[in-house]
Amino acid sequence: MSDHPASLQNERILPARLALRSDMLNLALIAVLLVLPFLLGGSWVFSLGLCFANAIGVLSVSVLVRYGGEVSIGHTFFAAVGAYSVAVLDTRYGLSVLFSLPLALALGVVSGIAFAWPSRKLSGIYLAVSTMALALAVPELINNMDGLTGGYEGLYVATPAVPGIPMGLQRYYVALLVLAAAVYGVSRLRNSRQGLVLLLSKTHPAAADAFGTRQVWARVAVMGISGGIAALCGAMLGFAGSTVSPSGFTFWSAIFLLVGSVVSFYGLTLWRALLGGAFLTLVPQLLSSSGAWIPVFYGVALLAMILAGHYLPRLRAIAAKRKGDE
């Protein structure tokens, strides 16, 4: 898939046959992920739970890029909103993630809209820098609100979602369930009239205005949706990782969410979101024994992924053309 902004033609409603094949692929992938905890060890189950949470964050950035045509390097702000919603309700009131997750989603949407409205006239590098301000402010905000957030020490998320089931399995399956729900919601948006209106507003603002959809409202709506998904990411990072602290929502965390979105080629499907989440979670774990070479190997892996995403579609097209000529 191209890494350039997609045109409305490329974002059109999927043909029924292609949509069916995509659904079958998603179901097969989910079936495999459902049995993995019974085949892998505890540390891998824990890492995969974090991978699912990061995949939700990658999806949130990709939604903003696809539907808004903008780049954010401050989505950790919305993730922190979701994470601390879950952690505070767990620590203070003993509420499980099943009760706090809707609140986290709502606060993420409201935060996205609250940020998008005053910055609705900004775009490109100006909007990106504005989101960077969010990322820089998050750790200090958390530390200065230590009476609520626990400051540097953070908060511990320990209340089970379903009593009687081992927490290790719950942290894995709840994160997977939320990831699947987020991907399904995005797919419904992609095939809905509202989704097409948002894409039309991005690619042909004048035409969207003619149909009564102002670009400003479309941009605010996209940021609200993206912020809500990012809050789900934060909520799952807190639940799957069991702790919430400022070190999980730094400026570099925001940069890596954008990196994950690039590695997934801004894809909105399950396997592409997982690809981005795995790159953020599992690649550093696999390189952990490389010592001082970790940044070098990570950079090489990132470059290889970007080049593969750029050239593989072209090589596939060339191969298909040669096959057709024969």
Side-chain angles (χ1 to χ4, degrees), residues 53 56-61 74-87 97 100-112 178 182 223-239 244 249 257:
I56 300 172
V58 167
L59 187 70
S60 70
V61 177
H75 260 45
T76 46
F77 176 86
F78 308 114
V81 169
Y84 278 94
S85 298
V86 169
V97 68
S100 55
L101 197 60
L103 176 64
L105 174 62
L107 290 179
V109 172
V110 171
S111 300
V178 174
M223 184 60 86
I225 295 170
S226 179
I229 299 174
L232 293 180
C233 161
M236 286 303 98
L237 281 174
F239 184 73
V244 176
F249 306 101
L257 275 185

Side-chain angles (χ1 to χ4, degrees), residues 52-146:
F52 300 151
N54 279 322
I56 300 172
V58 167
L59 187 70
S60 70
V61 177
S62 297
V63 165
L64 181 64
V65 174
R66 285 295 187 128
Y67 286 90
E70 302 293 348
V71 170
S72 170
I73 48 179
H75 260 45
T76 46
F77 176 86
F78 308 114
V81 169
Y84 278 94
S85 298
V86 169
V88 170
L89 290 181
D90 183 302
T91 305
R92 289 178 175 268
Y93 305 106
L95 294 177
S96 77
V97 68
L98 297 181
F99 295 96
S100 55
L101 197 60
L103 176 64
L105 174 62
L107 290 179
V109 172
V110 171
S111 300
I113 293 174
F115 171 78
W117 178 249
S119 59
R120 62 190 181 280
K121 300 294 185 182
L122 302 179
S123 63
I125 189 65
Y126 297 101
L127 183 63
V129 172
S130 299
T131 58
M132 184 181 72
L134 288 177
L136 292 173
V138 169
E140 294 305 321
L141 287 174
I142 296 173
N143 289 328
N144 285 290
M145 298 172 65
D146 56 345

Side-chain angles (χ1 to χ4, degrees), residues 42-61:
S43 63
W44 276 104
V45 174
F46 176 78
S47 298
L48 285 172
L50 294 179
C51 172
F52 300 151
N54 279 322
I56 300 172
V58 167
L59 187 70
S60 70
V61 177

